[in-house]
Amino acid sequence: MRSWLLHSIAWLTARHIAHYEAMQVLIAKLGQFFMQRSDAALFAYYAESQLQQEELHELKALSAAYEIKRLNTDQFTGKTDWPDHAAIGLNMVAGVLIEQHDWDPDDVADFVDDLSEGYFNFNEMDADEE
């Protein structure tokens, strides 16, 4: 009895998930149809941005690095103060560029070095890290 009940619940759940996924596809296709008919230029823009999603993500990571510098730069003197949380943020951006966008670690180190005017040195390892 228990086996029959569990199989019935699993079957109903699988059918519901399949139905739900089919409804999502149908609604997406309807939305695509009406959006394409209402504003073709905007639809083409969104379609192209979906194709370039990887490049846009990489640009967002680079933009985040420049934003970290902008937030820590004094507007009047132009001097940049690099607190610990800025180092953490730049390290996270460096990790994204290396791991998700296949940047060479030396290129990332050069980028961070240029951005921070040599303040950080991510290239060298401490004796403890070796």
Side-chain angles (χ1 to χ4, degrees), residues 43-55:
F43 178 78
Y45 169 78
Y46 282 123
E48 192 65 31
S49 68
Q50 289 298 316
L51 293 175
Q52 297 175 350
Q53 197 168 15
E54 183 79 19
E55 291 85 3

Side-chain angles (χ1 to χ4, degrees), residues 29-88:
K29 287 183 178 182
L30 283 172
Q32 176 184 357
F33 175 80
F34 287 118
M35 186 175 174
Q36 193 171 16
R37 299 303 183 271
S38 66
D39 193 349
L42 185 61
F43 178 78
Y45 169 78
Y46 282 123
E48 192 65 31
S49 68
Q50 289 298 316
L51 293 175
Q52 297 175 350
Q53 197 168 15
E54 183 79 19
E55 291 85 3
L56 292 173
H57 185 263
E58 186 175 1
L59 288 174
K60 284 181 184 179
L62 293 172
S63 176
Y66 284 109
E67 183 68 14
I68 290 169
K69 181 175 182 173
R70 187 192 67 76
L71 289 173
N72 296 297
T73 302
D74 189 327
Q75 293 178 346
F76 300 112
T77 63
K79 292 185 75 176
T80 304
D81 178 35
W82 293 104
D84 290 340
H85 62 274
I88 294 169

